Amino acid sequence: MSRLICRGELIEDRWRWVDADEAPAPAAGEGLILPLARWCAQRPGLDAARTGVWLGPDDDVAPLLPWLATLPLIAIRFPVFTDGRGYSLARLLRGRHGYAGELRAVGDVLRDQLYFLQRCGFDSFALRADQPPEEALAAFHDYSWAPLSAR
Amino acid sequence: MYRYNPTDQQLVDDRVAQFRDQMNRFLGGRLSEDEFRPLRLQNGLYVQRHAPMLRVAIPYGTLASAQLRKLADIARRYDRGYGHFTTRCNIQFNWVRLEEVPDILAELATVQMHAIQTSGNCIRNITTDPFAGVAADELFDPRPYCEIVRQWSTLAPEFLFLPRKFKIAISGGAEDRAAVRFHDIGARARMAADGRLGFEIHVGGGLGRTPMVGRLLKDFLPREELLNYFEAILRVYNRHGRRDNKYKARIKILVKDLTLEGFAREVEDEWAWSRGGPATLGDETFRSMEAFFARHDTAPAPADGTYDPAQDPAFSRWVARNVSPHRAAGQAIVTLSLKKTGVPPGDATAEQMDGIAALAERYSAGEIRVSHEQNLVLPHVARGDLPALWQGARALGLATPNIGLLTDLVCCPGGDFCSLANARSIPVADAIQQRFDDLDYLFDLGPLELNLSGCVNACGHHHIGHIGILGVDKNNEEWYQVTVGGREGERGALGRVIGPAFAAEQIPDVIQRLLEAYLAARHEGEPFIDAVERIGLEPFKARVYGGVA
């Protein structure tokens, strides 16, 4: 997860992604992004400031709702870029539930969708490995207009 | 008509630049076919049987003369001199070159047009009544709401990758001329007892592979809540609609799976949060939008004695079929027929488009509408101008007096153009028009809607034709299945198959037999579809198969 765009800048990622069947320990200064089920199961014993959670497109946001104020990072995984469910999850978290922490798009995240992902509330983007980062940064300026539904 | 503000213009200009870049990356091998496909589809670009096809959006079917001239110009410079008006009120160019599409989009942007979301799994062009704003039976003008929904749905970032395409229709008349119950969302104008304006909302209608009549989701939605409520419906669909099987991915399947009540509960839950929120529409929005659609009731009154329908039988026939009542006295709505025998239904040449643009400027406040029956409508004609307009339309080959009659048939491009089609629909349409070309006979038959689709995707809306014809493939041969009893509007129904399919050359005879069954059974003044509803399918089946088998 080296290529990461966060709030319009290319940065080094300080979070480690954890798949459902992994159990790594964090390196120094590194946070973990846990799958939803594990995050739910282990939450009482976790270091809240250094633990994020990731959602698949069919996950429900309900278990997160009581903890949104203290969650530092939520990642939403796009198995393929044409699966639009993650856009609605983002809008739900940002709009209806007022989540203000980092919201990261992960998986099949391509340059041509960045503008619209951003408009739905994503503010960090772990691009698919083959995406040129300079073109990706330019994509946030594809439009100088703002869509009605995300104002 | 709506006019772009600088923001709208910026959007389409930015879109052209974005697509040009995407096209360059695709042609340069830096964007894969799979990654490019949804991008090109959302810009109206299909890869078809012979050549790429570009579908240009005509929002709620409304065009200005300058826009129609631009379409003619594009037909000449980038295509083979004609275009095809579709049942979704758009226009398709069938012979464009892939690498020239960004240039065509740039041309369109100069007249406030685009091809955004004319395909793809997103919210498509909004459609309405072709007589919107001028119909005598209108509760209120739906076009300001169409425009509000157009702006909201254009590049709506949350809804660009839905499970499947999504079609919205909004109508304002007492009679539903927009087939609202055959759309993913259909909204009909309603007025509450206290005078508040709003909409009746239907959901889950559609034709295609699994035709369904929409279900009533809400009997009165206050107009202020239009976007909040639509967004709630779309969000529920986007999250829960099926994505594992494209044939089960439309919202109608979700409504069926959740049950109407279950679906409505999800929508209400979503709406409860957004209701009254930032996307709620205010009176100022309605007023400013309505100002764009001000009436054109100031056209000159009949100046001389030239208006007399009886003066010429040909003129009087045209008035009987192609002229409809306007809400203002002294004015009329004129339908120009794109259904002349020998011309593929819905096609217009560049010369015709230029001619229509000129007629509209002279006689219809510079405005043209596209109907979902694939004809063009001039909505603001002074009755005194009808004879002159008729002459002008005749000179262009657009005055066939057949609106609403058998030969005004609706037809998709079919296997001659479309890579989805199983069968060629245009030659069958032509054979029907050739056979039933006698105007006396057509007038005697009365109102009759015949719809023809080249495959189950149903672009020819065959399910809602009084007579429907569907091209099917059997062992690599083209066959045609016939349905009877479909209809749109208030009493909307899906046609039922009458029996085994036919070969193309049998179709005119089959139609002939259906008409004979009707003529034998009809009561005085009873239209075909009413007779079908009264006597059922049996007499029709007996006449068709009794004679063939």
Side-chain angles (χ1 to χ4, degrees):
Chain A
M1 212 169 281
S2 51
R3 293 179 205 278
L4 184 77
I5 296 176
C6 190
R7 297 182 178 129
E9 287 180 44
L10 268 173
I11 58 159
E12 284 298 310
D13 190 11
R14 293 180 298 106
W15 293 88
R16 178 184 296 194
W17 180 270
V18 181
D19 271 323
D21 49 4
E22 285 181 296
E30 195 179 51
L32 292 181
I33 310 174
L34 301 180
L36 179 64
R38 187 183 302 179
W39 183 87
C40 289
Q42 298 179 353
R43 191 196 48 76
L46 296 172
D47 176 354
R50 297 177 60 203
T51 313
V53 59
W54 66 264
L55 306 175
D58 50 4
D59 279 331
D60 188 357
V61 300
L64 299 180
L65 298 185
W67 317 104
L68 288 182
T70 53
L71 255 174
L73 182 149
I74 299 174
I76 294 175
R77 192 173 71 88
F78 289 80
V80 288
F81 76 93
T82 50
D83 185 335
R85 288 176 289 181
Y87 293 80
S88 280
L89 285 177
R91 289 274 289 141
L92 276 173
L93 286 167
R94 287 290 196 220
R96 182 167 175 176
H97 303 300
Y99 174 64
E102 182 176 340
L103 187 58
R104 181 180 290 191
V106 179
D108 203 26
V109 178
L110 313 182
R111 177 239 187 275
D112 289 293
Q113 282 75 52
L114 290 183
Y115 184 85
F116 304 107
L117 288 166
Q118 175 191 241
R119 304 287 350 168
C120 286
F122 287 99
D123 56 2
S124 80
F125 308 86
L127 296 167
R128 198 176 71 187
D130 65 344
Q131 298 292 295
E134 306 72 30
E135 282 189 11
L137 280 174
F140 294 107
H141 308 286
D142 278 353
Y143 295 91
S144 47
W145 132 104
L148 196 63
S149 54
R151 274 169 202 163
Chain B
M1 285 184 63
Y2 183 72
R3 294 280 169 216
Y4 278 9
N5 60 32
T7 307
D8 298 311
Q9 188 65 50
Q10 187 69 52
L11 185 157
V12 295
D13 291 343
D14 288 349
R15 179 67 159 193
V16 171
Q18 185 195 39
F19 189 62
R20 197 182 287 285
D21 174 55
Q22 290 166 343
M23 176 69 83
N24 284 338
R25 281 187 280 135
F26 171 68
L27 295 173
R30 290 187 293 137
L31 197 55
S32 74
E33 175 60 45
D34 283 347
E35 286 161 15
F36 184 54
R37 186 180 308 110
L39 307 178
R40 69 167 161 77
L41 289 175
Q42 295 207 5
N43 284 288
L45 178 56
Y46 284 74
V47 174
Q48 286 285 54
R49 189 154 290 206
H50 303 294
M53 180 269 276
L54 180 68
R55 182 183 293 151
V56 174
I58 302 179
Y60 37 96
T62 297
L63 278 171
S65 285
Q67 293 174 321
L68 188 55
R69 281 202 182 90
K70 178 54 74 180
L71 295 176
D73 178 47
I74 288 169
R76 263 190 212 100
R77 286 165 55 201
Y78 296 98
D79 202 289
R80 296 187 180 175
Y82 69 97
H84 173 76
F85 289 95
T86 76
T87 53
R88 294 279 310 153
C89 309
N90 292 316
I91 185 168
Q92 295 181 178
F93 294 108
N94 280 311
W95 303 98
V96 296
R97 278 175 291 272
L98 194 73
E99 61 278 11
E100 288 183 344
V101 169
D103 295 335
I104 301 176
L105 298 181
E107 292 283 346
L108 289 170
T110 65
V111 292
Q112 309 189 350
M113 293 186 83
H114 59 74
I116 297 169
Q117 289 167 225
T118 55
S119 180
N121 295 333
C122 50
I123 303 171
R124 303 286 190 88
N125 187 27
I126 315 298
T127 52
T128 188
D129 180 352
F131 296 173
V134 292
D137 69 344
E138 197 161 83
L139 192 58
F140 57 85
D141 187 346
R143 292 172 301 164
Y145 306 91
C146 291
E147 178 56 30
I148 288 168
V149 174
R150 184 194 74 81
Q151 293 187 16
W152 162 79
S153 62
T154 300
L155 305 194
E158 187 180 347
F159 305 127
L160 292 174
F161 294 101
L162 296 170
R164 198 79 177 83
K165 59 190 168 182
F166 200 93
K167 300 173 180 178
I168 299 174
I170 304 174
S171 83
E175 189 186 328
D176 168 27
R177 283 173 295 261
V180 297
R181 291 203 295 151
F182 296 103
H183 285 77
D184 295 286
I185 294 177
R188 290 193 69 185
R190 286 287 177 259
M191 189 183 288
D194 59 5
R196 285 181 309 144
L197 303 182
F199 295 91
E200 176 186 284
I201 306 293
H202 300 266
V203 70
L207 300 173
R209 192 171 291 262
T210 314
M212 285 190 200
V213 180
R215 310 283 303 276
L216 179 62
L217 185 62
K218 192 156 214 58
D219 47 22
F220 185 80
L221 177 73
R223 62 176 182 164
E224 300 78 25
E225 290 294 324
L226 196 63
L227 297 187
N228 290 329
Y229 195 74
F230 279 14
E231 195 160 293
I233 293 174
L234 263 301
R235 186 167 297 147
V236 170
Y237 171 55
N238 192 35
R239 293 192 63 204
H240 303 298
R242 284 183 63 172
R243 290 172 184 267
D244 59 328
N245 179 342
K246 75 179 230 185
Y247 301 126
K248 296 190 185 299
R250 296 287 291 271
I251 196 173
K252 56 192 164 190
I253 305 293
L254 179 66
V255 173
K256 188 162 160 260
D257 288 349
L258 295 179
T259 74
L260 181 65
E261 296 67 32
F263 179 80
R265 260 197 311 278
E266 295 276 343
V267 172
E268 289 293 320
D269 176 60
E270 204 49 60
W271 183 41
W273 166 72
S274 63
R275 193 170 184 168
T280 306
L281 299 163
D283 285 344
E284 183 45 45
T285 302
F286 297 128
R287 263 197 302 276
S288 62
M289 207 53 90
E290 281 160 0
F292 285 108
F293 300 96
R295 313 276 194 187
H296 295 275
D297 289 354
T298 50
D304 52 32
T306 55
Y307 173 60
D308 175 11
Q311 68 183 350
D312 179 337
F315 176 63
S316 107
R317 270 193 167 139
W318 179 77
V319 170
R321 290 315 317 177
N322 300 36
V323 176
S324 306
H326 191 286
R327 54 178 294 284
Q331 289 209 72
I333 305 168
V334 169
T335 302
L336 301 172
S337 175
L338 298 183
K339 309 299 176 61
K340 186 178 171 167
T341 299
V343 178
D347 277 13
T349 65
E351 291 66 36
Q352 285 176 319
M353 291 188 232
D354 278 339
I356 295 163
L359 288 178
E361 257 162 6
R362 187 147 178 212
Y363 300 116
S364 178
E367 187 179 330
I368 304 105
R369 308 279 179 85
V370 185
S371 77
H372 74 271
E373 291 91 358
Q374 304 172 284
N375 291 308
L376 296 179
V377 171
L378 300 180
H380 312 288
V381 180
R383 296 198 77 91
D385 288 335
L386 286 172
L389 171 55
W390 176 62
Q391 295 290 2
R394 268 219 305 193
L396 292 167
L398 298 167
T400 311
N402 63 348
I403 300 307
L405 301 179
L406 175 64
T407 54
D408 180 18
L409 46 79
V410 171
C411 182
C412 71
D416 290 300
F417 298 98
C418 176
S419 47
L420 299 175
N422 292 322
R424 296 167 69 219
S425 42
I426 290 171
V428 176
D430 184 52
I432 295 169
Q433 287 180 321
Q434 300 281 0
R435 169 72 70 90
F436 302 100
D437 205 23
D438 182 72
L439 275 174
D440 290 327
Y441 183 68
L442 289 175
F443 269 69
D444 179 53
L445 284 174
L448 211 171
E449 294 172 12
L450 192 149
N451 293 54
L452 222 158
S453 304
C455 77
V456 289
N457 293 299
C459 294
H461 299 172
H462 63 277
H463 302 105
I464 55 173
H466 302 164
I467 298 174
I469 300 173
L470 166 66
V472 291
D473 174 85
K474 280 196 207 168
N475 306 320
N476 287 326
E477 285 178 32
E478 294 178 12
W479 290 85
Y480 296 85
Q481 195 177 69
V482 174
T483 54
V484 167
R487 76 190 297 172
E488 53 183 303
E490 195 70 40
R491 290 153 70 190
L494 299 167
R496 285 160 293 159
V497 178
I498 59 168
F502 303 94
E505 57 273 16
Q506 291 176 290
I507 289 293
D509 286 337
V510 172
I511 306 292
Q512 178 78 50
R513 292 208 171 87
L514 292 173
L515 300 177
E516 286 165 7
Y518 158 63
L519 291 173
R522 77 169 164 191
H523 290 163
E524 175 81 28
E526 183 183 40
F528 179 89
I529 187 62
D530 290 353
V532 173
E533 287 184 359
R534 179 172 58 80
I535 64 178
L537 289 194
E538 284 312 318
F540 295 94
K541 290 182 182 175
R543 179 76 70 148
V544 170
Y545 292 100
V548 170

